[in-house]
Amino acid sequence: MKKLGRTGQRVIKIVHIFFASLWVGGAVSLNAALLLLGPAETMGELLGYNYAAMIIDDAIIIPGAMGCLLTGLFISGFTHWGFFKYRWVLVKYVLTVLCIVVGIVVLGPTVNNQPAITMELGIAAYGDPEYHANYVHCLMGGAFQLTAILFMLSISSLKPWNRTGKTVEVAPAGEAG
């Protein structure tokens, strides 16, 4: 497979970092909103919170996550990094897919269900068991997502593990080169 040249690698890396920034920024924003916004005092405020969470999820987090996955696949396919040469790349793929699945299965439905509950119950939604369960799922899933994303950023920078299938030779004491 043809590899990207230096300029192409830089461009795709910039695009990948852009999507990672969206994903991180959205995750931080959504988690901060869940934790730091005080309780709404009116139905309108609560509905605003719910719709803001949906917008952050739909317009920032989802495009960021999908963009990271797609640009990551592109980087692996068209640069020297490959798909299976480095353990840290494999870990990033596993975590990216896991985060996307958690987002689709847990977070998306809970975030998207909150406005309907609020429209039906108004400010009394705070006392609704389903609304509360959704809120807790968002807190727990959001904390998982943010932790995983920050870990992926760290391993992208540190590249901590050896190549797969390769052993590292350690020079005897006093012969370090």
Side-chain angles (χ1 to χ4, degrees):
M1 186 177 299
K2 187 170 169 43
K3 300 295 181 196
L4 287 174
R6 186 179 193 112
T7 302
Q9 288 182 27
R10 287 180 176 169
V11 168
I12 194 65
K13 187 175 184 179
I14 289 168
V15 174
H16 188 71
I17 291 169
F18 169 75
F19 284 118
S21 299
L22 283 179
W23 198 6
V24 171
V28 168
S29 297
L30 192 53
N31 279 283
L34 286 170
L35 292 171
L36 301 177
L37 287 175
E41 294 181 14
T42 67
M43 178 183 159
E45 281 182 12
L46 187 56
L47 208 51
Y49 290 177
N50 297 155
Y51 280 121
M54 281 180 54
I55 291 167
I56 291 169
D57 189 40
D58 293 345
I60 299 171
I61 293 175
I62 292 171
M66 296 309 294
C68 278
L69 178 62
L70 295 175
T71 56
L73 291 169
F74 195 85
I75 289 167
S76 291
F78 294 101
T79 69
H80 72 282
W81 294 112
F83 292 96
F84 305 106
K85 285 166 79 172
Y86 298 91
R87 286 184 181 95
W88 66 270
V89 173
L90 287 171
V91 169
K92 279 186 64 177
Y93 278 123
V94 168
L95 285 175
T96 298
V97 170
L98 184 61
C99 283
I100 289 171
V101 169
V102 167
I104 291 169
V105 173
V106 176
L107 297 175
T110 60
V111 167
N112 292 334
N113 196 27
Q114 297 298 69
I117 297 170
T118 301
M119 289 295 288
E120 181 182 330
L121 302 176
I123 199 71
Y126 278 132
D128 182 63
E130 183 181 6
Y131 188 92
H132 180 72
N134 288 347
Y135 179 78
V136 170
H137 286 139
C138 286
L139 283 175
M140 292 172 44
F144 164 77
Q145 289 264 3
L146 188 55
T147 302
I149 294 165
L150 293 175
F151 180 71
M152 287 188 281
L153 284 173
S154 298
I155 64 175
S156 291
S157 297
L158 301 174
K159 298 170 182 53
W161 302 296
N162 304 327
R163 288 176 66 147
T164 56
K166 301 283 182 177
T167 57
V168 176
E169 294 183 25
V170 178
E175 294 185 26

